[in-house]
Amino acid sequence: MTGLLTACQPPAPTATSTTAEDPPIIISAGSVTMAPEYILDVKPSRYQPSLGLQGDIEPIKQARLTAAQDLQIKQILVTKGQWVEKGSPLLIVQRQTVKNAVTDITTKEATARKNGINNQAAKNTTNQQSKISTNSVPIEQAVATPVSNKADTTISTNDQLTKELSEVATTEEVQADDSAVVAANSDQLITIRASISGKVSDLYIETAQQINTGDKLLHLEDDSDLRFIATLPIQAEPQLSVGQTVNFTTEGLTEKFTGQVSKLLADSQSAQLLVYVHVIKNEASRGILQPKMAVIGRVNYGQIKVGTIVPKRSIHDVDLTELQKPPYRPLSQLMANVWIIKQNQRLTRQPVEVIEYNPSTEQYLIAGITNDSLICLADLPLESAGKKVIVS
């Protein structure tokens, strides 16, 4: 009987504490008993919602040239770091398939002329022979006219090939004005010219090198105007618009810089939003910001909101490391959990967003807590949810 009665008793309360110095917390089947030190009133604080933007500085105007077909580099007319004007010659290349194509066409035409199988020539010969004496014009001369026409066709075909060569180099960068300007001479050598004025920032080729379709040739940059491109979840699109101010910093520099949202490009397939930020050219940025510098910025949106100030010990299930350095705000939305006590004295594990860290007070601003709640500082087991809090 004693054993049966013992088995029917409810489980004994467990005692725990957040640290060795904290008073114990007693957790039973339906309640959690804790000292007043674990309970914190809501302390509201106003804040401006914002989004973090991260990217690398790059020139707005740039041209990346790649081979649109197989080529051989005959001559390189520029060096890395050199400034060139628009239309300046950059490279002389040769299209590997051009001569073969012309030879094939010429060979076919020669064969047709030799064998006399050109239907149009036969037709023209018949027409001419019907108008003049059959013995006055040899058959070779009668075929000569269409052959001459065919020769013109061959020249026209060569012109078409030359026209096709105008796309020997392609520009990948949307901001570049034109595709590469090219000109072909009688030897099928092609001069690739600069589509923009700028500096040769990268040169990927060597003289006599064989280039395959899609290979990089060179990269031109005009760094007089700069930008960076940030990537956000596509859900952020309603919060942004062209013209919004962006404040940003770069690693290793204490200066703060300003930019403006210049373009938004949403990609529904990847569920991402590309945010183009134009760097404002002023005394702060001129001569300091350079291409390839990594920057971190923020753009404000919406109306002022109210959050809650809490100590670190109340925030659970999140890594707060990235908030320990400027700008003390997460680059992307940072979610966590906080134990709160509702008006019915029941515990709830409340999802919250961590907004920022204040290094002077060593406290955090979070969003998602209402004023009719109390904050529990203890890190309780998950089964504490729904239990009644008893203050002792």
Side-chain angles (χ1 to χ4, degrees), residues 176-251:
D177 298 351
D178 313 300
S179 58
V181 181
V182 301
N185 60 25
S186 59
D187 295 326
Q188 299 300 335
L189 295 179
I190 307 158
T191 301
I192 301 178
R193 301 181 180 274
S195 58
I196 64 170
S197 297
K199 181 178 68 174
V200 181
S201 61
D202 289 295
L203 194 60
Y204 305 104
I205 52 177
E206 297 178 353
T207 303
Q209 182 178 350
Q210 297 289 338
I211 300 298
N212 298 322
T213 302
D215 286 352
K216 296 179 181 179
L217 300 177
L218 58 81
H219 185 193
L220 291 176
E221 292 183 339
D222 179 0
D223 58 4
S224 55
D225 286 297
L226 302 173
R227 72 178 182 193
F228 68 90
I229 305 173
T231 303
L232 292 176
I234 200 169
Q235 292 81 1
E237 187 174 12
Q239 280 76 48
L240 298 173
S241 61
V242 173
Q244 283 176 295
T245 299
V246 179
N247 297 307
F248 65 93
T249 58
T250 184
E251 188 174 358

Side-chain angles (χ1 to χ4, degrees), residues 115-316:
N115 297 331
I117 60 174
N118 188 291
N119 294 333
Q120 185 62 42
K123 182 178 179 181
N124 290 344
T125 301
T126 303
N127 292 339
Q128 289 183 16
Q129 289 176 338
S130 65
K131 293 181 180 179
I132 61 177
S133 172
T134 329
N135 298 323
S136 61
V137 181
I139 185 66
E140 291 82 4
Q141 292 185 15
V143 180
T145 299
V147 169
S148 175
N149 289 339
K150 264 297 187 183
D152 292 341
T153 304
T154 304
I155 295 173
S156 175
T157 304
N158 289 337
D159 289 342
Q160 178 62 29
L161 289 171
T162 301
K163 183 178 180 182
E164 291 174 2
L165 293 175
S166 65
E167 295 303 324
V168 69
T170 59
T171 302
E172 297 178 334
E173 176 55 42
V174 178
Q175 294 294 330
D177 298 351
D178 313 300
S179 58
V181 181
V182 301
N185 60 25
S186 59
D187 295 326
Q188 299 300 335
L189 295 179
I190 307 158
T191 301
I192 301 178
R193 301 181 180 274
S195 58
I196 64 170
S197 297
K199 181 178 68 174
V200 181
S201 61
D202 289 295
L203 194 60
Y204 305 104
I205 52 177
E206 297 178 353
T207 303
Q209 182 178 350
Q210 297 289 338
I211 300 298
N212 298 322
T213 302
D215 286 352
K216 296 179 181 179
L217 300 177
L218 58 81
H219 185 193
L220 291 176
E221 292 183 339
D222 179 0
D223 58 4
S224 55
D225 286 297
L226 302 173
R227 72 178 182 193
F228 68 90
I229 305 173
T231 303
L232 292 176
I234 200 169
Q235 292 81 1
E237 187 174 12
Q239 280 76 48
L240 298 173
S241 61
V242 173
Q244 283 176 295
T245 299
V246 179
N247 297 307
F248 65 93
T249 58
T250 184
E251 188 174 358
L253 298 176
T254 57
E255 292 87 348
K256 294 182 178 180
F257 306 98
T258 305
Q260 275 189 323
V261 177
S262 59
K263 183 169 68 173
L264 299 171
L265 188 60
D267 184 356
S268 56
Q269 290 186 347
S270 63
Q272 290 184 331
L273 177 70
L274 295 180
V275 184
Y276 292 72
V277 180
H278 178 257
V279 176
I280 302 300
K281 189 188 298 184
N282 51 30
E283 293 300 324
S285 63
R286 190 179 290 111
I288 298 179
L289 294 177
Q290 300 295 328
K292 299 182 180 178
M293 280 186 171
V295 298
I296 296 177
R298 300 201 74 84
V299 55
N300 296 334
Y301 68 91
Q303 303 296 321
I304 298 295
K305 293 186 177 182
V306 178
T308 304
I309 297 175
V310 297
K312 182 179 180 179
R313 62 185 296 191
S314 67
I315 304 174
H316 312 293

